[in-house]
Amino acid sequence: MTEKRILFTGGGTAGHVIVNLALIPYYQEQGWEIDYIGSKTGIERKLIEKLQGVTYYPISTGKLRRYASVENIKDPFKVLKGTLQAVNIIRKRKPKLIFSKGGFVSVPVLLASKLTAVPAVIHESDYTPGLANKIAMPFAKKVLATFPETMKYLPKKKSEYVGAVIRDELFQGNKERGLAISGLDKQKPVLLIMGGSGGSQKINETVRQSLPELLSNFQIIHICGEGKVDSTVNQQGYVQFEYVHDELKDIFAASDFILSRAGANAIFEFLALRKPMLLIPLSRQASRGDQIVNARSFAQKRYARVLEEEALTVDTLVQELEQLREQAPIMVDTMREYRTEEARERVIAILEDVSK
């Protein structure tokens, strides 16, 4: 077994990759060989394959649906195929340990970890565990939580609260560079709008309808999602991007406020950067409701304001952003009490201990 080889997994959304992206540079610096198992077409492939020194292995995977579908009949066979593929990869590469961020692609990998006796650690970002992690937890040696409240949903003997693991690069952004990338200036505060890795049609439409009111108080950077830029909207102080990757740290530095979905990894990054935020969580009709719980937790701690998607209109959006602007100084003071520096180091220490 190679002394310094680690396997990462996780995907389906950017949130199931971000923590891996925060940990990979450390293991690269320490001279570890790094492998990644993901799906054939998921966003994790786009994010990971561009990294130098990381070998990406795509496997077959099903989708863990909570609704009736003909595809549900095929999925167990896809998961079985993916498990066999993962077993072969693990036996060939012989990693010392496996770190999983969840998502449906992680289930075959965690099954394979059990079959090959390679220790695995799961990191759960959301307030309540996702279905993939619930299925995979019995096969993991350790389960880590981002929210302290999550501990009541996890197996007590092998779970630990570690907090949010934040990418170091996000603290290296440059405001002037971010404004230059966006073509904006320092005359008005900048509102960054994000609808999750896939974008949100409803948020996009409501924002564009609200531009006459919003642009009187803000300049706006709008990350719309792939294929969702509206080229017919061309107003001073409003700029659209499909997706931002390498420039994101500079965009964050240039932003004074954020309107976003409530994916756990994203909102903890906003918290670490002390950005006042308005959260519009995915509705229960489109999800298991995890973002709603995430957002409410942040609202209770006075890190954010929350606007339910069902209540999203031009009027409510404008009103909530005005409230956000007024409450921002208090929010920032509250955010200063939150510390994230130790989370990454604690996760690395746990992984070192598990791999012994």
Side-chain angles (χ1 to χ4, degrees):
M1 181 178 287
T2 299
E3 283 301 310
K4 301 181 79 171
R5 181 174 289 147
I6 184 171
L7 172 67
F8 289 89
T9 188
T13 67
H16 288 131
V17 187
I18 285 174
V19 172
N20 290 337
L21 292 175
L23 293 172
I24 285 171
Y26 168 82
Y27 286 97
Q28 289 177 318
E29 291 166 6
Q30 299 300 312
W32 287 61
E33 291 187 41
I34 299 169
D35 298 314
Y36 199 108
I37 293 181
S39 64
K40 296 176 182 177
T41 59
I43 190 172
E44 66 272 19
R45 188 166 192 171
K46 294 180 182 178
L47 295 173
I48 298 299
E49 280 194 331
K50 64 177 67 176
L51 299 179
Q52 294 287 334
V54 181
T55 306
Y56 188 88
Y57 295 91
I59 64 169
S60 173
T61 180
K63 183 174 181 180
L64 301 171
R65 300 173 185 84
R66 293 168 178 270
Y67 53 88
S69 169
V70 175
E71 293 298 314
N72 290 339
I73 300 172
K74 303 177 184 177
D75 284 343
F77 299 100
K78 293 179 182 177
V79 172
L80 176 60
K81 180 179 179 182
T83 301
L84 295 174
Q85 290 172 324
V87 166
N88 288 334
I89 294 165
I90 292 169
R91 285 177 175 166
K92 176 184 175 183
R93 299 297 294 162
K94 296 182 172 62
K96 196 170 184 180
L97 71 156
I98 296 169
F99 183 79
S100 171
K101 260 310 294 147
F104 50 84
V105 73
S106 69
V107 174
V109 182
L110 267 292
L111 281 166
S113 78
K114 187 69 173 179
L115 293 172
T116 55
V118 177
V121 174
I122 290 174
H123 186 274
E124 175 57 63
S125 292
D126 286 317
Y127 190 106
T128 58
L131 181 56
N133 276 348
K134 282 182 178 178
I135 294 172
M137 278 178 201
F139 311 117
K141 192 166 183 180
K142 193 86 173 176
V143 182
L144 311 180
T146 300
F147 288 87
E149 299 94 332
T150 308
M151 292 298 293
K152 62 188 175 186
Y153 301 103
L154 304 179
K156 291 182 180 180
K157 291 185 178 179
K158 61 179 179 180
S159 299
E160 182 175 333
Y161 163 67
V162 295
V165 179
I166 307 297
R167 294 173 284 174
D168 285 342
E169 66 188 72
L170 295 184
F171 298 98
Q172 300 163 8
N174 180 278
K175 181 172 184 174
E176 284 68 29
R177 200 159 52 226
L179 291 172
I181 291 167
S182 309
L184 302 178
D185 55 40
K186 297 180 180 179
Q187 299 304 309
K188 290 180 184 177
V190 174
L191 169 65
L192 172 62
I193 297 172
M194 308 172 69
S197 55
S200 165
Q201 194 64 34
K202 183 167 183 180
I203 291 176
N204 291 350
E205 290 174 355
T206 308
V207 165
R208 289 169 184 144
Q209 293 166 10
S210 308
L211 286 178
E213 292 86 357
L214 295 181
L215 289 174
S216 63
N217 293 318
F218 304 99
Q219 298 177 98
I220 296 174
I221 300 172
H222 190 174
I223 303 176
C224 311
E226 188 173 357
K228 294 184 172 69
V229 168
D230 188 341
S231 58
T232 66
V233 180
N234 185 16
Q235 296 194 43
Q236 184 67 33
Y238 174 73
V239 59
Q240 303 175 70
F241 297 98
E242 283 194 352
Y243 186 74
V244 175
H245 182 57
D246 293 335
E247 305 90 350
L248 184 60
K249 61 183 182 294
D250 300 316
I251 297 294
F252 278 154
S255 301
D256 301 287
F257 306 94
I258 295 179
L259 184 158
S260 174
R261 288 298 197 190
N265 291 298
I267 63 178
F268 272 102
E269 288 183 343
F270 307 153
L271 171 58
L273 294 169
R274 296 172 187 164
K275 301 293 180 181
M277 62 191 98
L278 171 62
L279 303 179
I280 304 177
L282 271 169
S283 68
R284 292 192 184 276
Q285 285 69 40
S287 71
R288 65 184 178 90
D290 51 303
Q291 289 198 8
I292 295 172
V293 182
N294 293 346
R296 287 176 181 169
S297 173
F298 263 46
Q300 288 169 359
K301 293 167 184 169
R302 298 183 181 177
Y303 297 151
R305 291 189 63 81
V306 178
L307 176 59
E308 302 285 353
E309 184 165 327
E310 292 82 356
L312 176 60
T313 65
V314 170
D315 288 341
T316 58
L317 180 63
V318 171
Q319 290 167 10
E320 283 293 330
L321 285 171
E322 180 58 30
Q323 289 289 314
L324 180 69
R325 200 160 62 98
E326 291 177 3
Q327 295 176 10
I330 297 172
M331 278 187 182
V332 172
D333 283 343
T334 306
M335 289 174 175
R336 287 194 179 100
E337 299 172 7
Y338 184 80
R339 296 285 182 269
T340 63
E341 295 88 347
E342 297 178 1
R344 183 169 175 262
E345 286 69 25
R346 181 58 192 149
V347 171
I348 290 168
I350 289 169
L351 291 176
E352 183 177 336
D353 184 60
V354 165
S355 67
K356 290 178 180 176

